[in-house]
Amino acid sequence: MVKQAALSRRRNEFGRAEPERSTVRSSGIHHVDLVVSSIEQSLPFYTDLLGPIGYTRVSEVEGERGETIWYLTGPGASVGLREAQADQSHDRYAVGLHHVAFEASSRAQVDELARWVRTQGVEVENEPQEYTYSPGYYAFFFRDPDGIKLEVVHVPGLVAA
């Protein structure tokens, strides 16, 4: 059973609970919603993965089909998790999401989260290393319990304040 998360008491004009808003700068992405096969497996995974990088508030809202969406709110954005309503696996090379990258505050934090991910029984695609995408780009790539590709990255000078 999913642990009951601390819910936001803030309500929008429709009476629905809304995620707490961060006062940290945003890159322009407000939120991303991911569809997962099991909220009971994915909510603890994402809560433990994203907590150390500032996604510390969890709230619950009702989706357009009456489903529950769990929002993890962090530095300027939120990640929503909702349980699948269709039986179809994710293919990152089909139309849709390829991967999501989360910003870490340091290389050490990238390494720390990589150590944690290795204990979770999920696929690690690439160990932490520098990439040539931009100077100092340090990241690792892995898959969540449903196979969605994720990245944790640190780029000096680009960390949200």
Side-chain angles (χ1 to χ4, degrees):
M1 167 126 310
V2 175
K3 290 183 193 175
Q4 186 67 14
L7 300 180
S8 167
R9 301 296 178 223
R10 186 173 177 192
R11 302 270 174 189
N12 65 17
E13 64 270 23
F14 305 108
R16 292 184 178 161
E18 289 187 331
E20 292 287 332
R21 302 293 183 233
S22 173
T23 57
V24 179
R25 74 134 171 105
S26 171
S27 62
I29 301 290
H30 183 271
H31 68 275
V32 173
D33 279 16
L34 301 176
V35 178
V36 299
S37 64
S38 167
I39 200 69
E40 291 177 347
Q41 181 179 24
S42 294
L43 184 59
F45 176 85
Y46 278 93
T47 300
D48 291 346
L49 172 70
L50 299 178
I53 58 176
Y55 289 77
T56 56
R57 295 195 187 274
V58 179
S59 60
E60 178 182 324
V61 300
E62 182 178 318
E64 64 269 13
R65 291 185 173 179
E67 76 279 21
T68 300
I69 308 167
W70 296 87
Y71 279 102
L72 289 76
T73 301
S78 296
V79 175
L81 302 173
R82 63 178 81 200
E83 203 157 78
Q85 296 184 7
D87 187 23
Q88 185 175 2
S89 63
H90 176 73
D91 179 350
R92 70 179 182 181
Y93 286 98
V95 173
L97 181 74
H98 183 273
H99 77 279
V100 178
F102 296 102
E103 184 177 59
S105 62
S106 66
R107 290 171 67 116
Q109 192 172 48
V110 171
D111 293 337
E112 175 185 324
L113 288 170
R115 281 190 294 277
W116 178 82
V117 164
R118 282 187 223 99
T119 70
Q120 299 306 300
V122 297
E123 179 186 348
V124 174
E125 192 170 297
N126 297 96
E127 292 292 336
Q129 60 187 294
E130 283 200 27
Y131 292 86
T132 59
Y133 308 137
S134 65
Y137 196 107
Y138 185 74
F140 80 104
F141 297 86
F142 58 101
R143 296 177 186 269
D144 82 349
D146 288 303
I148 298 172
K149 184 176 179 177
L150 303 174
E151 171 184 2
V152 175
V153 58
H154 173 70
V155 181
L158 296 183
V159 176

